[in-house]
Amino acid sequence: MSEYINKLLARVRAQNPSEPEFHQAVEEVVESLGIVLERHPEYKTAKILERMVEPERMITFRVPWMDDQGEIQINRGYRIEMNSAIGPYKGGLRFHPSVTPGILKFLAFEQVFKNSLTTLPMGGGKGGSDFDPKGKSDNEVMRFCQSFMTELFRHIGPDTDVPAGDIGVGGREIGFLFGQYKRLKNEFTGVLTGKGLNWGGSLIRPEATGYGAVYFAQEMLKTKGMDFSGKLVAVSGFGNVAWGAVQKIDQLGGKVVTLSGPDGFIHDKNGIKGEKIDYMLQMRASAKDNVKDYADKFKVEFFPGKRAWGVKVDVAMPCATQNEIFEQDAKELVKNGCICVCEGANMPTTIEAYKIFRENSILFSPGKASNAGGVATSGLEMSQNSMRLPWGKEEVDHRLHEIMKKIHDTCLETAERFGTPGNYVAGANIAGFLKVADAMMDQGLV
Ligand code: NDP
Ligand code: 2IT
């Protein structure tokens, strides 16, 4: 890495102490950009990268709410408005006890590059709270969401910042948040995506991230003359993204044999299909956060406290959370003959694990490219809201599929153009960067 990049990283670490995930996300991106800065010194002079690692705005707020026992609870709410060079801030809300400013900054930073890759006009942002939805009643979740929106509403808008779901935020939460926004603003607009179908939501949005990731993996396999038919696949998580991915892999003739949760992983040798896929929704809705329930119901093996990456598979799709494939897991996957790792989650692979995949020429796609189908379909939801005209299922799915193919091809073409053929990580980082950097150059010192 050049002296310039090393200095930049040292500054990011010093200015953002105790935020290792943010450092990791920045390091992974800027590692790819040395060659771009060599060819385009004007980005250095304009300090584009130095500006990109600094959020345009960070909002922190108090979220007081009352639980079912009448006790007052206080959580912290956040919205990181990272970059608006190519469109309104766009990105999900995460409700999870592990949420900190550093986690949200890493996610918002990733989102800037991801949204740039979608071909749609969306800037990058992320938000959320350390609220733990586990074990909460519907009424508690509603009261929390109403309180959260009572502050957030003044910072967002359909042309300013458009939040959506992420871990712990699905259709139910988006409904409560939207209801409160509408009450406060007296406006029915597309201020959130992931809405219900009969009040402005888009068909295919719930499935989009998982479907999109599988469409991306399909393109990766195609480069080696292969497809999903007959392939064994390990999926981690059992949430929204995992659910969409499992459905699409099953439709394409692949066999998903694992799911995981905070409690461990299950190994279903017969494949996860039919009612088993529907059961994933029930497990999520139960707010118990146990994947063991699947093992009990369908009489398959459960491995408490373990990750799924030791199972022999052809394709691995991490769909749970950040940093869930470590160096040792990567070695196991390679040893067992895995040919493709396609990230459904955001930054699930550590830098050390990624090096193992790269050294072994495994097909590897970073989340900012392969999970972009979720936010891309959010972009399609925004278009439908602006037109006040909903599209049919086939139309949205077709557009999603085309966008994923385009992102795939852009990654490969860009990697080739910048001297690292086949490197999806470099391709995604460089292509995502160039569009945003050029927009920033055009817009002057902002
Ligand atoms: P869900 O809340 O539906 O599911 C998340 C899953 O990951 C759950 O099984 C959850 O269990 C597990 N998980 C979350 N955090 C941890 C943790 N710290 N340790 C262990 N397990 C954990 O979320 P999504 O499916 O929406 O999101 C999954 C991933 O995909 C995330 O990385 C998200 O950022 C990313 N993503 C989501 C998109 C979307 O549209 N929803 C779009 C693009 C990316 P638990 O609740 O106990 O933590
Ligand atoms: O990480 C992500 O891309 C998301 N959680 C989806 C964001 C969105 O605005 O749909």
Side-chain angles (χ1 to χ4, degrees):
M1 266 189 284
S2 71
E3 199 194 326
Y4 170 77
I5 297 277
N6 279 331
K7 264 198 184 151
L8 182 106
L9 283 174
R11 207 184 114 138
V12 167
R13 287 191 195 105
Q15 289 197 320
N16 305 275
S18 319
E19 296 183 355
E21 292 83 4
F22 181 55
H23 307 163
Q24 183 183 342
V26 173
E27 184 177 338
E28 192 222 87
V29 168
V30 298
E31 250 186 1
S32 308
L33 297 180
I35 180 163
V36 181
L37 299 174
E38 250 171 55
R39 288 191 198 174
H40 296 278
E42 67 274 18
Y43 296 140
K44 259 200 220 174
T45 315
K47 300 218 170 160
I48 293 290
L49 264 182
E50 288 87 338
R51 284 194 257 160
M52 281 172 103
V53 297
E54 198 60 43
E56 288 179 14
R57 192 177 297 111
M58 282 179 64
I59 301 147
T60 307
F61 51 97
R62 179 206 295 159
V63 190
W65 58 282
M66 196 171 279
D67 69 18
D68 286 346
Q69 283 69 46
E71 193 179 325
I72 291 168
Q73 303 285 343
I74 293 111
N75 286 96
R76 250 181 219 171
Y78 306 94
R79 187 74 183 163
I80 315 287
E81 297 183 333
M82 200 73 186
N83 194 302
S84 62
I86 62 166
Y89 308 106
K90 179 87 197 86
L93 296 172
R94 177 176 290 192
F95 293 169
H96 195 273
S98 63
V99 164
T100 58
I103 293 278
L104 295 178
K105 272 160 73 183
F106 118 63
L107 289 162
F109 185 73
E110 291 279 290
Q111 199 81 43
V112 172
F113 297 84
K114 181 194 306 193
N115 293 4
S116 165
L117 289 169
T118 63
T119 72
L120 303 173
M122 299 182 289
K126 199 88 187 187
S129 174
D130 57 359
F131 174 76
D132 188 357
K134 191 168 170 172
K136 301 287 188 300
S137 70
D138 283 355
N139 277 327
E140 288 177 322
V141 171
M142 181 175 72
R143 286 196 291 274
F144 174 79
C145 288
Q146 290 181 337
S147 182
F148 185 86
M149 187 52 90
T150 300
E151 174 57 33
L152 185 69
F153 90 99
R154 67 188 89 249
H155 307 289
I156 62 176
D159 297 315
T160 308
D161 185 353
V162 183
D166 192 79
I167 291 179
V169 178
R172 176 183 60 166
E173 291 74 19
I174 294 292
F176 296 149
L177 291 163
F178 185 79
Q180 186 71 352
Y181 181 86
K182 189 161 56 68
R183 238 168 134 194
L184 291 162
K185 291 284 280 193
N186 195 24
E187 274 176 14
F188 195 112
T189 58
V191 66
L192 293 162
T193 58
K195 298 185 289 300
L197 274 184
N198 51 8
W199 45 278
S202 175
L203 285 158
I204 301 292
R205 177 62 188 89
E207 295 86 349
T209 312
Y211 276 23
V214 175
Y215 290 147
F216 196 98
Q218 215 182 357
E219 295 303 305
M220 294 167 87
L221 291 172
K222 221 188 262 176
T223 63
K224 303 277 179 207
M226 293 185 279
D227 60 28
F228 265 104
S229 176
K231 295 281 179 304
L232 291 181
V233 186
V235 168
S236 65
F238 63 92
N240 171 263
V241 179
W243 167 75
V246 173
Q247 269 188 60
K248 186 52 75 180
I249 294 164
D250 180 46
Q251 285 169 21
L252 295 176
K255 195 199 260 189
V256 180
V257 292
T258 70
L259 294 176
S260 72
D263 53 333
F265 82 93
I266 62 100
H267 187 191
D268 186 345
K269 291 183 179 135
N270 293 323
I272 299 162
K273 47 179 70 239
E275 59 156 339
K276 293 173 172 176
I277 300 179
D278 299 336
Y279 187 67
M280 290 174 73
L281 292 177
Q282 279 182 46
M283 281 200 294
R284 202 81 209 110
S286 77
K288 276 166 62 191
D289 255 333
N290 280 337
V291 80
K292 181 175 178 292
D293 290 355
Y294 181 104
D296 294 342
K297 184 165 171 70
F298 299 111
K299 309 277 175 281
V300 302
E301 276 181 295
F302 173 65
F303 297 85
K306 293 262 179 333
R307 293 187 291 275
W309 314 122
V311 175
K312 187 171 166 44
V313 289
D314 305 300
V315 178
M317 295 194 61
C319 296
T321 192
Q322 64 275 358
N323 292 335
E324 48 158 328
I325 300 187
F326 296 90
E327 187 174 0
Q328 195 49 40
D329 301 316
K331 286 182 178 158
E332 284 276 308
L333 283 163
V334 171
K335 189 183 82 195
N336 286 330
C338 177
I339 46 178
C340 173
V341 179
C342 174
E343 292 188 340
N346 286 310
M347 208 171 74
T349 308
T350 63
I351 290 179
E352 296 73 28
Y354 166 62
K355 282 187 186 139
I356 302 291
F357 294 138
R358 186 91 197 115
E359 278 160 23
N360 288 278
S361 304
I362 304 291
L363 289 169
F364 176 87
S365 69
K368 62 171 79 69
S370 43
N371 74 31
V375 73
T377 308
S378 280
L380 300 178
E381 184 172 326
M382 288 166 75
S383 303
Q384 295 170 76
N385 291 163
S386 298
M387 291 191 302
R388 299 188 192 277
L389 266 184
W391 289 325
K393 200 170 176 172
E394 285 71 30
E395 165 131 34
V396 182
D397 194 25
H398 176 71
R399 284 179 187 264
L400 166 65
H401 201 158
E402 290 303 308
I403 288 172
M404 296 316 297
K405 283 198 223 166
K406 176 97 181 129
I407 299 174
H408 175 271
D409 294 352
T410 299
C411 288
L412 280 192
E413 279 158 23
T414 310
E416 175 95 35
R417 189 150 58 89
F418 284 88
T420 49
N423 184 338
Y424 289 92
V425 172
N429 288 335
I430 296 172
F433 170 80
L434 286 174
K435 185 172 167 189
V436 177
D438 288 341
M440 289 173 74
M441 297 289 284
D442 292 345
Q443 291 168 24
L445 187 50
V446 286

